[in-house]
Amino acid sequence: MTLNSSKLRIIVSGLIAQYPLGGISWHYFQYVLGLAQLGHDVYYIEDTGMYPYNPDEGGVSKGCELNVNYLADLMHRYDMSHKWAYCFPWKSQWFGMSDVVRQDVINSADMVLNVSGTMQKPWTYRANNTLVYIDTDPVFTQIKLAKEQAYFQKVVDAHDITFSYGESMPADMPESGHRWFPTRQPVVLSEWESQITPRNTYTTVMNWTSFKPIEYNGKQYGQKDVEFRKFMTLPELVAPIELEIAVNEGKTKGTPRHLLAHKGWRVVNPADVCADFDQYRHYIQSSRAEWSVAKNGYVVGQSAWFSDRSACYLAAGRPVILQDTGFSRTLPVGEGLYAFTTLEEAVSAVGSVEAHYQHNTAAARAIAEAYFDSDKVLNELIEIVTHGSTST
């Protein structure tokens, strides 16, 4: 399908109402805002088929008032009050755009961006548009396809073109029959400029565990808990720099908060420090830098995945020290952004940041401008969708 990429009607999917939390909101909304700032006619439609999470209730909710209000407030803030829709699964109740308007948007859309594969039935959005799948969980996605998970295969196969945050897939990744065009998190740079004086604390926001490890061809692909244990002693090695993690309790095994505290980590509740859209941004902007591990599956898979959260730290001018997932092959490292694989490398990276802190803050922002600017990332994505190649 050949499109005129000057101005398109684009639908973006996501999980903003499903999980009304700061980091999730920024991840998906920067697609919406970034495309709108490029001049496209953008709509946000959330149709996951899942009952939403309510942070006040601490779990899945039988209602959706809080979730709908959260999404409505966010869209209103950016003058998009009439450009969103959310489906609550009980009796398929829709909120936001009327049924008539929503269907007209679907029928007239040029492109549907199914970010993270969040749409329950993407084929129901098939009209005269191009369905685009954006894989934000590389390695895990390809293994699920290799394991022939039928419904997941059906979802991915419904799309015309597929992208992945796995920018450099290793040779031993299973073939899925899809061509994965590389892409990365778009960041609306103007939203992250900051005059906040950072505190003397390196931070990150993370899940301890999300799912049980999966196995493929004799290898296990686990979560962050597997990797974090290798770096438990880091705080004592970089003192007096403080290391803080905003971490949840973990789904499969409880987060060892007492052990982390004993080892010198400052452990805080994400619900207290970065629960919503504004708190999350402020938490990042007020941090001195980010230090974080990656999911074990990303480390084993080495697909060059890079965190949407870390991209926001860079945009805020905060240096990032991140466990290498292969991104050192696709992004510049050594100033502003540091990749580590061992405890010794992690300690050295902290020392390098502190030795030339102001230089590293400027370098961090420069990397965001060169590699994560929503104008560049989304223009390239659209160019590939419309013409099958990049503009460069």
Side-chain angles (χ1 to χ4, degrees):
M1 182 178 184
T2 302
L3 303 174
N4 179 357
S5 58
S6 59
K7 181 173 183 178
L8 301 172
R9 174 165 282 191
I10 302 175
I11 296 171
V12 176
S13 74
L15 297 171
I16 297 173
Q18 174 68 26
Y19 297 107
L21 305 169
I24 296 290
S25 303
W26 278 106
H27 172 41
Y28 294 105
F29 188 68
Q30 290 190 102
Y31 278 93
V32 178
L33 184 58
L35 288 165
Q37 290 190 352
L38 286 172
H40 298 293
D41 185 22
V42 188
Y43 297 80
Y44 178 80
I45 299 181
E46 187 167 336
D47 184 9
T48 67
M50 298 186 293
Y51 281 80
Y53 172 80
N54 185 318
D56 292 345
E57 297 175 4
V60 175
S61 179
K62 294 182 179 179
C64 65
E65 182 179 3
L66 178 146
N67 307 78
V68 170
N69 288 340
Y70 182 90
L71 175 58
D73 289 347
L74 177 57
M75 299 300 285
H76 175 73
R77 179 193 297 197
Y78 291 90
D79 298 322
M80 302 183 75
S81 295
H82 61 295
K83 304 188 78 171
W84 65 271
Y86 167 76
C87 185
F88 182 60
W90 188 68
K91 295 186 178 180
S92 295
Q93 299 176 70
W94 281 96
F95 298 84
M97 291 182 287
S98 70
D99 292 346
V100 171
V101 172
R102 185 182 71 254
Q103 195 58 54
D104 177 68
V105 168
I106 294 170
N107 291 340
S108 59
D110 298 299
M111 189 182 303
V112 178
L113 299 187
N114 190 6
V115 185
S116 308
T118 51
M119 285 182 163
Q120 180 190 26
K121 298 178 180 179
W123 48 87
T124 64
Y125 288 82
R126 167 71 68 195
N128 295 313
N129 52 39
T130 301
L131 291 181
V132 181
Y133 188 94
I134 299 180
D135 164 33
T136 61
D137 197 24
V139 177
F140 291 97
T141 292
Q142 286 68 39
I143 290 174
K144 284 196 293 183
L145 290 169
K147 284 177 169 284
E148 297 182 344
Q149 296 185 12
Y151 191 81
F152 183 64
Q153 181 85 48
K154 181 180 179 181
V155 167
V156 178
D157 287 349
H159 298 80
D160 301 298
I161 187 168
T162 53
F163 290 81
S164 179
Y165 281 17
E167 290 194 65
S168 180
M169 292 289 190
D172 61 351
M173 271 293 99
E175 289 291 334
S176 66
H178 305 88
R179 180 179 180 184
W180 298 100
F181 288 94
T183 190
R184 56 177 69 103
Q185 172 69 40
V187 178
V188 182
L189 296 175
S190 60
E191 293 289 315
W192 292 94
E193 294 173 351
S194 175
Q195 301 302 316
I196 296 173
T197 300
R199 54 200 175 106
N200 188 41
T201 307
Y202 286 45
T203 67
T204 195
V205 185
M206 60 177 281
N207 290 319
W208 187 250
T209 57
S210 299
F211 304 99
K212 293 180 179 180
I214 62 174
E215 187 172 328
Y216 182 74
N217 277 355
K219 289 183 180 180
Q220 281 209 330
Y221 299 81
Q223 301 292 306
K224 285 190 175 181
D225 59 324
V226 178
E227 295 300 326
F228 202 99
R229 294 181 187 279
K230 302 174 184 177
F231 302 95
M232 278 287 196
T233 60
L234 184 63
E236 66 187 63
L237 301 176
V238 299
I241 292 296
E242 297 176 338
L243 299 178
E244 177 177 289
I245 53 174
V247 61
N248 68 355
E249 289 293 341
K251 290 185 178 180
T252 57
K253 294 181 181 178
T255 303
R257 291 175 176 270
H258 293 300
L259 176 60
L260 288 164
H262 176 71
K263 293 292 186 180
W265 296 91
R266 179 183 292 175
V267 183
V268 297
N269 189 338
D272 295 332
V273 298
C274 56
D276 62 22
F277 196 74
D278 292 316
Q279 283 184 319
Y280 182 85
R281 175 167 52 188
H282 184 268
Y283 186 71
I284 288 175
Q285 291 174 330
S286 63
S287 301
R288 185 167 179 82
E290 182 188 31
W291 182 91
S292 184
V293 297
K295 288 182 184 179
N296 168 256
Y298 295 156
V299 176
V300 173
Q302 289 291 296
S303 68
W305 167 92
F306 193 81
S307 166
D308 60 279
R309 177 200 63 250
S310 298
C312 293
Y313 274 90
L314 292 172
R318 301 298 178 249
V320 169
I321 304 172
L322 185 63
Q323 190 176 18
D324 198 7
T325 63
F327 68 80
S328 58
R329 303 191 302 267
T330 59
L331 297 171
V333 296
E335 294 181 333
L337 172 61
Y338 295 82
F340 67 87
T341 58
T342 66
L343 180 62
E344 292 74 21
E345 289 172 352
V347 173
S348 176
V350 173
S352 295
V353 168
E354 292 304 312
H356 304 284
Y357 183 71
Q358 293 303 322
H359 176 76
N360 275 287
T361 61
R365 176 70 183 193
I367 292 172
E369 292 172 350
Y371 293 90
F372 295 96
D373 180 359
S374 59
D375 285 1
K376 296 179 180 179
V377 172
L378 295 172
N379 268 330
E380 182 169 292
L381 185 149
I382 289 170
E383 184 70 18
I384 292 172
V385 173
T386 55
H387 297 105
S389 64
T390 65
S391 57
T392 59

